[in-house]
Amino acid sequence: MSPLSPSLDTIAVTAGRTASGGSLAPPLWTTSTFELGGDVDARRLATTPGEARFYGRHGNPTVAAFEDAVAQMEGAEAALAFASGMGALSAVVLGLCSRGSHIVAARQLYGGARQLLSGPCARFGIDVTFVDATRPGALSEAVEPGRTVLVVAESPANPRLDLVDLDELGAIQGPFTVVDSTFATPFGQRPLAHGVDLVVHSATKAMAGHNDALLGVVCGSRDLVEWLWGFAVLQGAPASPFDAMNGLRGLRTLGVRFRQQTATALALAEALEGLAAVREVRHPGLASHPQADLARRQMQLTGGLVSFEVAGGADAARRFVAALRLVRHAASLGGPETLVCHPASTSHAGLREEELAEAGISGGSVRISCGLEDPADIIDDVRNALRSTALPASPTEPALTATA
Ligand SMILES: *Cc1c(COP(=O)(O)O)cnc(C)c1O
């Protein structure tokens, strides 16, 4: 078990309050700019990384409160918030790499991250090598000393919940290492404690946790975060104060929400494992997960996601999604509502056929993000909807029947 501060729940409630005055709720600073007055050293304010009282693209007090809280929860010196998870990821990649740089990346990545690395990066002359990051040693073996600037991984990875060994990632010397820890949140794992340089979150998901904010954040050493700020202020994708306020409000209850979502996901995954209508049920807390030992070693909570394959392929998956009554069809995760998504047509819709195959995504793949409804209601809804997939999709396919 990696060290987890026993007071993470307490940190989540107490952090990010230094500039709140007496307000219990985070004050919302909607201003785009600050009066500087006549006798202030404006040049100093304009060039101070993260300065919260100069101009909104440089920093904002509400955003700074969210950043402080996330940094404390990740055990980081500093954090920097962005308008989205992709804003954070693109700042890391484009802020650290130049023409001629080499990146080693997991091929198990969120679709947008994969597209950023294979599209714009190639166009800018940044060379990316994709590897199967579940294979021990794969990331470090692909590092080219002197040329590799960045190693990019995601764990658990969207959508099949493959894991990356964080100790192994953190032990890589030379390039900067970054992990997208969105699916884990700080309650699931704390990558910096394993020696990883940067941790990125789409706080849009479980951190903000209510489907009402679009928000990203990156945490790491103060030096590295200040360097990234120097790019971010030019990139121009800072977090909106309103979304940062919702993000901070989300962090206050993240522990209870994430624990319940983890318990529900585990119960759902276990209920699905016996059914003939599904294949390859995946959740990092299942004993059948190919990296179950690694999950036990590096994760404190395994999160609210379950992914599986609907037997019968794309047509059966479509019937399954259409037959759900409580579970909603939408392309996000980590909120109070249980959501189903069909990665091939949503989160990974921009990938080419061979990229989908490499990522292990087929037409029958579905991903469920467990919300906060009664777990029994969620499991019933999924079971009932799976019954409707028993119709043969085509005359050549055998009829599939659910056993429960
Ligand atoms: C959603 C997601 C992102 C992108 O975040 P946005 O806030 O939508 O930009 C990145 N990584 C993972 C793992 C995600 O689930």
Side-chain angles (χ1 to χ4, degrees), residues 84-87 89 110 154 158 180 182-183 202 204-205 214-215 333:
S84 69
M86 282 309 300
L89 263 171
Y110 168 69
E154 182 176 315
N158 195 345
D180 181 336
T182 299
F183 279 24
S202 167
T204 308
K205 315 291 169 54
L214 199 60
L215 192 61
L333 60 112

Side-chain angles (χ1 to χ4, degrees), residues 35-176:
E35 254 190 288
L36 298 175
D39 54 353
V40 78
D41 183 353
R43 193 176 184 287
R44 187 184 59 77
L45 289 180
T47 55
T48 301
E51 172 56 54
R53 285 161 197 267
F54 173 66
Y55 181 67
R57 184 154 41 72
H58 290 228
N60 168 284
T62 308
V63 174
F66 170 73
E67 291 167 340
D68 284 352
V70 177
Q72 267 200 54
M73 291 177 72
E74 284 291 0
E77 285 176 8
L80 186 59
F82 291 82
S84 69
M86 282 309 300
L89 263 171
S90 61
V92 169
V93 171
L94 301 176
L96 295 176
C97 295
S98 313
R99 189 156 52 92
S101 295
H102 177 239
I103 295 176
V104 173
R107 68 183 193 210
Q108 296 91 347
L109 288 180
Y110 168 69
R114 169 92 199 208
Q115 278 179 273
L116 170 72
L117 292 170
S118 48
C121 280
R123 198 153 51 73
F124 299 151
I126 300 167
D127 185 22
V128 185
T129 304
F130 291 99
V131 301
D132 174 4
T134 62
R135 189 172 66 73
L139 290 167
S140 56
E141 283 161 22
V143 168
E144 298 177 27
R147 196 167 88 91
T148 308
V149 173
L150 192 61
V151 180
V152 183
E154 182 176 315
S155 189
N158 195 345
R160 276 167 48 90
L161 311 172
D162 288 316
L163 308 184
V164 170
D165 188 323
L166 296 175
D167 283 332
E168 232 181 79
L169 181 65
I172 294 175
Q173 297 297 315
F176 296 112

Side-chain angles (χ1 to χ4, degrees), residues 43-358:
R43 193 176 184 287
R44 187 184 59 77
L45 289 180
T47 55
T48 301
E51 172 56 54
R53 285 161 197 267
F54 173 66
Y55 181 67
R57 184 154 41 72
H58 290 228
N60 168 284
T62 308
V63 174
F66 170 73
E67 291 167 340
D68 284 352
V70 177
Q72 267 200 54
M73 291 177 72
E74 284 291 0
E77 285 176 8
L80 186 59
F82 291 82
S84 69
M86 282 309 300
L89 263 171
S90 61
V92 169
V93 171
L94 301 176
L96 295 176
C97 295
S98 313
R99 189 156 52 92
S101 295
H102 177 239
I103 295 176
V104 173
R107 68 183 193 210
Q108 296 91 347
L109 288 180
Y110 168 69
R114 169 92 199 208
Q115 278 179 273
L116 170 72
L117 292 170
S118 48
C121 280
R123 198 153 51 73
F124 299 151
I126 300 167
D127 185 22
V128 185
T129 304
F130 291 99
V131 301
D132 174 4
T134 62
R135 189 172 66 73
L139 290 167
S140 56
E141 283 161 22
V143 168
E144 298 177 27
R147 196 167 88 91
T148 308
V149 173
L150 192 61
V151 180
V152 183
E154 182 176 315
S155 189
N158 195 345
R160 276 167 48 90
L161 311 172
D162 288 316
L163 308 184
V164 170
D165 188 323
L166 296 175
D167 283 332
E168 232 181 79
L169 181 65
I172 294 175
Q173 297 297 315
F176 296 112
T177 52
V178 56
V179 66
D180 181 336
S181 192
T182 299
F183 279 24
T185 83
F187 280 94
Q189 67 196 15
R190 300 212 301 167
L192 302 181
H194 297 262
V196 176
D197 295 312
L198 291 168
V199 52
V200 168
H201 290 280
S202 167
T204 308
K205 315 291 169 54
M207 277 186 157
H210 294 74
N211 296 319
D212 56 8
L214 199 60
L215 192 61
V217 65
V218 54
C219 309
S221 70
R222 186 164 307 284
D223 280 358
L224 206 40
V225 169
E226 287 187 356
W227 172 273
L228 292 174
W229 176 86
F231 177 77
V233 81
L234 305 177
Q235 177 198 26
S240 108
F242 185 72
D243 288 0
M245 179 191 72
N246 281 327
L248 187 50
R249 187 201 51 187
L251 293 180
R252 302 287 185 234
T253 57
L254 180 58
V256 287
R257 288 186 289 107
F258 201 68
R259 267 189 286 273
Q260 171 153 348
Q261 289 173 337
T262 295
T264 302
L266 200 52
L268 174 64
E270 281 168 355
L272 290 177
E273 266 201 313
L275 304 185
V278 300
R279 296 195 179 129
E280 272 212 81
V281 180
R282 286 206 158 204
H283 174 80
L286 276 184
S288 62
H289 190 287
Q291 297 165 295
D293 286 344
L294 179 60
R296 267 192 296 276
R297 254 190 289 135
Q298 70 186 23
M299 300 192 78
Q300 287 74 43
L301 291 167
T302 45
L305 278 295
V306 177
S307 84
F308 57 91
E309 193 79 22
V310 179
D315 285 343
R318 210 165 293 125
R319 284 199 300 274
F320 167 67
V321 170
L324 289 162
R325 292 288 165 264
L326 175 66
V327 178
R328 293 156 199 270
H329 184 197
S332 197
L333 60 112
E337 301 88 1
T338 298
L339 300 182
V340 65
C341 113
H342 181 244
S345 59
T346 56
S347 59
H348 293 68
L351 269 58
R352 298 189 306 269
E353 282 297 324
E354 62 271 24
E355 290 173 329
L356 284 175
E358 261 184 31

